[in-house]
Amino acid sequence: MAARLPRPRRFDVYVALGSLLGGLLLWGVGLATRPSTEVYVLLPGRWPVLLPLFVLAGCELLRRTAPRTGLLIGTAAIVLDVVTQGNLVSILIYTDLMYAAVLYGPPASAHRIPRITGLLSVAGAVVPFALWRRPEALLIGVVTGIVAFGPAATGLIVRNHREAAEAARLRAEQTALLAEMDRTQAVTAERARMARELHDMVANHLSAIAIHSTAALSLDDPKTSQEALVVIRENSVEGLSEMRRLIGILRDSSGDVEPAAAPTLDGLGSLVENARTNGLDVTLEADQGEVPAPVELAAYRIVQESLTNALKHAAPGRVTVSLARRDGSLLVDVTSPYGDRDGPRAPGSGAGLVGMEERVALLDGTFAAGPEDSPEGKVWVVRTALPVNDTVEGDTT
């Protein structure tokens, strides 16, 4: 099957019809571009002018769908127009075909056509002048430049501007996409930070409440129930206070209220004492010295979450918390008995271990948690190494 030409654009159809009607109007009034006495007019008379006019007008239908084909056919038609008495509209149509071939054609043609027409314009001025030695011979190059090189150069300039505008638009879209990705990542990071903070602030108290309430319900002992209710009340009050403080920070958008101070390692004593109140046998060995605020906060939260996990899951026995400074790192070790327990358990989701691992990763530290064998039996160990010397100051909550 023969290849079918693409369907012309509606605007190109209007251009073709308008050009044809304009050319026919000039032809009808007898307005030609040159007299029949010129030596290169091989087809004098009015009727030969119509053939190149119709062909050029038809080429306008291809100005965007097949610009190179339209230019090639139009070049043959304009050469035919030269040997007739000519029509001004035919010349104008050809300039538009040249412009369209550069503007809408392939990139290779867009850069090649202006060079070729430029060389033809120079040759059209130099060669005739060298042969005839008359100044009027230079007009051949001038006419060639006006009809061919001028439209081609204009098309190249417009094409370059369009490509630059398109590149700028693509860069703007990419910038907007990157900004949206950054915003999404920031929102995700903030949600993760809020989840870690909420979990660490409230989970300890809720775990204690769950365990002691289960004990109070399972034991028919008024004294034990009374002690459990005291612990439940203390943890619920502290948990509500922590929750209100966090909600206050999240609600306040004016910046007038200072956020609550982040916990420090100086509060480990109180944290351990609270764990003892909840029923854990905890010993604390802390010799960390001065550490940066991000490391201090991360270490506090890791100890807090480890004690919460021990309260929920550890077997009866001693829980050991150790902090030491060694080789440019703060080492945090929490050891608790591992095995079956007779008392009530609080359900766990694993979010605590994930939160600890995320905090350590933000500081480029190392984290490990799991069961190990020791002289005292099987234990659950949380080991963390947080870099101290090269830690970047910042918010790691």
Side-chain angles (χ1 to χ4, degrees), residues 302-322:
I302 288 171
V303 172
Q304 182 184 43
E305 180 58 28
S306 298
L307 292 178
T308 300
N309 289 340
L311 179 64
K312 293 191 293 184
H313 307 297
R318 175 164 295 183
V319 178
T320 303
V321 178
S322 173

Side-chain angles (χ1 to χ4, degrees), residues 96-357:
D96 182 68
L97 293 176
M98 183 68 69
Y99 170 82
V102 176
L103 182 60
Y104 303 117
S109 298
H111 292 84
R112 189 181 299 120
I113 291 174
R115 290 195 292 266
I116 294 174
T117 54
L119 292 175
L120 289 177
S121 300
V122 173
V126 173
V127 174
F129 180 77
L131 293 176
W132 299 333
R133 298 293 181 176
R134 297 180 59 181
E136 292 83 358
L138 296 174
L139 294 177
I140 299 177
V142 173
V143 172
T144 305
I146 294 174
V147 174
F149 177 71
T154 304
L156 182 60
I157 293 173
V158 174
R159 184 185 183 115
N160 288 337
H161 281 292
R162 288 188 177 182
E163 291 177 350
E166 180 67 15
R169 185 186 66 81
L170 292 176
R171 284 195 299 270
E173 290 181 355
Q174 292 175 353
T175 302
L177 180 60
L178 291 176
E180 179 63 20
M181 293 175 61
D182 290 341
R183 187 194 68 81
T184 302
Q185 291 176 355
V187 170
T188 303
E190 182 64 14
R191 290 178 63 180
R193 185 190 72 84
M194 292 169 58
R196 287 194 303 269
E197 192 67 13
L198 181 61
H199 179 275
D200 293 342
M201 290 173 64
V202 180
N204 184 38
H205 302 297
L206 294 181
S207 298
I209 291 172
I211 291 174
H212 285 280
S213 62
T214 303
L217 292 172
S218 60
L219 298 177
D220 189 13
D221 184 356
K223 183 179 179 180
T224 304
S225 298
Q226 181 68 24
E227 293 175 353
L229 289 175
V230 171
V231 175
I232 289 172
R233 184 184 183 282
E234 291 177 354
N235 281 278
S236 61
V237 171
E238 292 179 6
L240 285 173
S241 177
E242 296 281 1
M243 181 72 75
R244 290 193 187 101
R245 183 161 61 249
L246 179 60
I247 293 175
I249 295 174
L250 296 177
R251 284 183 178 275
D252 181 64
S253 60
S254 62
D256 298 334
V257 180
E258 290 293 331
T264 63
L265 293 180
D266 294 335
L268 285 181
S270 176
L271 186 64
V272 169
E273 188 62 32
N274 184 59
R276 289 171 181 160
T277 302
N278 290 331
L280 285 180
D281 180 11
V282 187
T283 60
L284 173 64
E285 299 175 2
D287 184 21
Q288 73 279 356
E290 293 292 331
V291 295
V295 174
E296 192 170 24
L297 177 59
Y300 181 92
R301 293 303 190 194
I302 288 171
V303 172
Q304 182 184 43
E305 180 58 28
S306 298
L307 292 178
T308 300
N309 289 340
L311 179 64
K312 293 191 293 184
H313 307 297
R318 175 164 295 183
V319 178
T320 303
V321 178
S322 173
L323 284 84
R325 187 87 167 264
R326 189 178 303 163
D327 298 331
S329 297
L330 175 63
L331 304 181
V332 181
D333 294 342
V334 182
T335 304
S336 58
Y338 182 75
D340 296 332
R341 57 185 291 174
D342 299 331
R345 286 179 176 268
S349 63
L353 291 176
V354 174
M356 288 190 286
E357 190 171 4

Side-chain angles (χ1 to χ4, degrees), residues 1 14 16 20 22 25 29-30 37 66 114 116 141 206 211 247 269 274 285-286 300 326 344 353 359 373 376 379 382:
M1 292 179 62
Y14 295 154
L20 181 60
L25 178 62
V29 299
T37 57
I116 294 174
L206 294 181
I211 291 174
I247 293 175
N274 184 59
E285 299 175 2
Y300 181 92
R326 189 178 303 163
L353 291 176
R359 291 183 185 277
D373 293 325
E376 293 78 14
V379 294
V382 175

